[in-house]
Amino acid sequence: MHHFSDRLNLAIQNKKTPALVGLDPRFDWLPEEIVKAAESRHDNKADIVAAAFQEFCFRIIDVVAPLVPAVKPQAAFFEEWGPAGCIALQRVIKKARDAGLIVICDAKRGDIGSTAEAYARGYLAGENPDSAVWASDCLTVNPYLGSDTLEPFVNVAVERGAGIYVLVRTSNPGAGTFQDRKTEGTNLYECVAAAVEELALKTKGAGNYGAIGAVVGATYPEELNQLRALMPHTPLLVPGYGSQGAGAGDVAGAFDESGLGAIINSSRGINFAIRKAPYSEKFSPAEWEQAIETATHDMISDLAAHTPAGNLK
């Protein structure tokens, strides 16, 4: 069985970029043609939205699969629409796996005991897509309940060649409300980071990185640099690039010298590139796929020019 980080690093090296495309469909922002097609086939609102989300994400996957190593569907946007949305999410994950992409399901699950194990077995397929209903390679996990939150996810990840990314220092403006709380002079996020690094070290693959990763936001670059030093064996998932305000320079500290060790997410900035300049000026609304392709190329070039990811070339 191939180790998650080894598979991810190979995919990053093959595509020569750590760019990660989030799949965050928003019904009010979808191309008109996709909405009309869904409305022509369905009467129920949930079915219309789910069908539109599925087609939109399928077409994004077709555009970005040759360019990036991985995609990150955000489960909440699908789950909002009930069973139809959940079926669409399952199909989107399968489509991405069939396209050869690593799939990180962003569901931020977290619980203890048998409940955590059920989440893990439901989402973490790892190397074999048939191992779990949701068929993802990796899952985001909330550690707030404590170390026994993580253990069942770690066990299933190791068993199946999957991975998890644990929330350590998130990109949202209010992150510090809890994460910056100090106990005996140490920030809470540093305590979580220490636990994650220990798990990463215990689950190392053939390379330097473990199967247990950390979510560290690009919107706090000083903390990102600090956490990279504290977690040398931990692969990082870095949100906050693009629409949330962080640039390539802010994420440079996430990488090792070879350009590995991190994957950088952009969701809205890619999915809905057609809604903003310069892409809205270059392309018509009907050319939204060309806008996505160009925005993805621009992100890849930006990361290569301003971070160690350029060493992947």
Side-chain angles (χ1 to χ4, degrees), residues 200-239:
L201 189 58
K202 288 179 179 178
T203 59
K204 270 182 62 177
N208 187 52
Y209 296 101
I212 312 309
V215 177
V216 181
T219 48
Y220 300 98
E222 291 184 9
E223 287 89 343
L224 176 58
N225 293 338
Q226 173 201 18
L227 289 166
R228 174 76 286 167
L230 288 173
M231 300 186 292
H233 303 96
T234 302
L236 302 182
L237 167 59
V238 184

Side-chain angles (χ1 to χ4, degrees), residues 13-306:
Q13 290 168 324
N14 286 342
K15 297 294 176 64
K16 298 182 172 59
T17 183
L20 168 66
V21 174
L23 300 175
D24 290 16
R26 298 166 189 241
F27 189 72
D28 291 343
W29 291 4
L30 295 184
E32 185 178 359
E33 60 170 303
I34 287 181
V35 173
K36 287 185 175 180
E39 289 175 338
S40 71
R41 298 193 302 271
H42 303 280
D43 297 320
N44 178 273
K45 181 62 179 289
D47 292 336
I48 290 170
V49 174
F53 281 6
Q54 178 177 311
E55 182 179 350
F56 182 61
C57 291
F58 274 24
R59 289 170 68 172
I60 293 176
I61 290 166
D62 286 339
V63 171
V64 304
L67 305 177
V68 301
V71 292
K72 183 178 70 66
Q74 171 50 257
F77 290 109
F78 296 89
E79 292 172 355
E80 178 184 2
W81 297 98
C86 290
I87 291 170
L89 174 61
Q90 182 187 39
R91 290 172 177 169
V92 166
I93 292 172
K94 183 179 186 304
K95 166 79 171 178
R97 293 295 302 261
D98 289 346
L101 292 163
I102 299 288
V103 177
I104 302 167
C105 187
D106 194 353
K108 298 181 177 68
R109 296 299 189 241
D111 216 310
I112 56 174
S114 58
T115 310
E117 183 178 357
Y119 277 135
R121 293 197 173 279
Y123 280 94
L124 292 176
E127 186 178 20
N128 178 8
D130 294 328
S131 296
V133 172
W134 297 107
S136 59
D137 294 273
C138 188
L139 178 69
T140 55
V141 174
N142 187 332
Y144 189 74
L145 274 69
S147 59
D148 48 349
T149 303
L150 301 178
E151 184 178 353
F153 291 99
V154 173
N155 291 342
V156 175
V158 170
E159 174 191 330
R160 295 181 176 177
I164 63 172
Y165 283 104
V166 181
L167 304 181
V168 172
R169 184 64 165 124
T170 55
S171 60
N172 55 301
T177 304
F178 298 133
Q179 294 168 23
D180 288 353
R181 293 283 178 171
K182 291 185 181 294
T183 301
E184 297 180 351
T186 302
N187 290 314
L188 176 60
Y189 72 80
E190 294 173 300
C191 296
V192 179
V196 171
E197 171 63 14
E198 183 178 350
L199 291 169
L201 189 58
K202 288 179 179 178
T203 59
K204 270 182 62 177
N208 187 52
Y209 296 101
I212 312 309
V215 177
V216 181
T219 48
Y220 300 98
E222 291 184 9
E223 287 89 343
L224 176 58
N225 293 338
Q226 173 201 18
L227 289 166
R228 174 76 286 167
L230 288 173
M231 300 186 292
H233 303 96
T234 302
L236 302 182
L237 167 59
V238 184
Y241 173 92
S243 294
Q244 290 189 54
D250 296 315
V251 305
F255 299 96
D256 62 28
E257 292 181 355
S258 68
L260 296 173
I263 192 159
I264 312 301
N265 182 72
S266 179
S267 299
R268 283 172 290 166
I270 301 293
N271 296 181
F272 301 105
I274 195 65
R275 294 175 61 87
K276 65 177 185 179
Y279 311 107
S280 59
E281 298 164 354
K282 293 180 180 179
F283 302 104
S284 71
E287 295 174 312
W288 59 274
E289 286 157 299
Q290 291 95 315
I292 286 174
E293 182 177 18
T294 303
T296 304
H297 278 294
D298 288 346
M299 179 184 181
I300 291 168
S301 297
D302 190 31
L303 294 175
H306 297 103

